[in-house]
Amino acid sequence: MKQKIIDAVNRQIREELQSSYTYLAMSARFEARKLPGAANWMRNQAREEVLHAMKFFDFLIRRGATPELQTIEAPDTQFNSILEAFEQALEAEQHITKCIHELYDLAQTERDYPLQTLLHWFIDEQVEEEEAAEGIIDSIRLAGESGEAMFMIDRELGLRQPETEGAE
Ligand code: MG
């Protein structure tokens, strides 16, 4: 593998883990606010981001490269409402989408075909991630932010099940 590609995949591993860390911090804040459903949603999201990092990690190993783990920053998660938290989640996903697209551009320029194939899965996944966050934002806006609405939204978010490792 070209070093340029290895470096870029290592950076993407960091991005995915950083995003996992952000969701985990959001989960902790929702626990503190007694919104267990939203906390559950964020916890599952955090777990899913680790699986994303692992797909890139394993990709490097399978191609004979060694993943080099980079520094993860302490997440900056301050929000005053569920709506704000999910708006931040959507922004985070838009950032990841941009990173995935840039990585794809590089894979094309460098003619790394296996990376292009791996990234097809991620490109689809990002469409789903943004769609999910947008859907929740729409629901919150529609329901309003009364105590009753929050209770309903939280219960809905609590239904999210953890993804299993093999799931694509
Ligand atoms: Mg991800």
Side-chain angles (χ1 to χ4, degrees):
M1 279 180 89
K2 289 183 184 168
Q3 192 57 45
K4 220 172 168 177
I5 295 283
I6 296 171
D7 291 345
V9 173
N10 276 324
R11 283 197 298 277
Q12 192 59 33
I13 291 172
R14 195 203 78 84
E15 289 286 352
E16 301 289 347
L17 291 176
Q18 184 72 60
S19 121
S20 173
Y21 223 44
T22 299
Y23 287 124
L24 195 57
M26 284 182 169
S27 179
R29 297 212 186 275
F30 278 129
E31 295 283 3
R33 285 163 181 256
K34 307 295 177 206
L35 289 165
N40 167 71
W41 195 96
M42 290 293 173
R43 179 187 290 244
N44 283 325
Q45 187 69 14
R47 210 176 266 150
E48 208 180 288
E49 299 308 338
V50 173
L51 297 181
H52 293 170
M54 293 312 293
K55 276 185 193 279
F56 286 115
F57 185 92
D58 288 335
F59 177 76
L60 288 181
I61 291 172
R62 285 169 60 207
R63 295 184 67 199
T66 304
E68 293 293 340
L69 298 182
Q70 301 173 0
T71 306
I72 300 171
E73 311 287 332
D76 176 25
T77 28
Q78 308 248 353
F79 52 82
N80 295 307
S81 62
I82 298 193
L83 179 61
E84 226 179 281
F86 278 92
E87 282 170 345
Q88 287 176 15
L90 176 60
E91 269 175 46
E93 288 307 329
Q94 287 166 339
H95 168 72
I96 294 287
T97 299
K98 188 170 160 269
C99 293
I100 295 288
H101 292 176
E102 283 170 6
L103 195 51
Y104 192 76
D105 285 341
L106 181 71
Q108 284 192 317
T109 324
E110 299 296 325
R111 295 168 184 258
D112 190 313
Y113 302 110
L115 181 56
Q116 288 177 35
T117 301
L118 175 72
L119 288 171
H120 289 157
W121 183 87
F122 277 95
I123 290 167
D124 289 343
E125 173 69 12
Q126 283 312 116
V127 173
E128 281 176 30
E129 296 278 37
E130 289 190 26
E131 192 186 8
E134 279 165 356
I136 293 164
I137 289 169
D138 288 346
S139 301
I140 300 168
R141 288 208 175 116
L142 206 65
E145 294 198 71
S146 68
E148 198 185 357
M150 284 304 97
F151 178 76
M152 301 284 285
I153 297 277
D154 189 65
R155 203 169 54 179
E156 188 77 23
L157 294 172
L159 298 176
R160 180 173 177 178
Q161 299 289 319
E163 199 155 317
T164 51
E165 190 115 15
E168 298 260 311

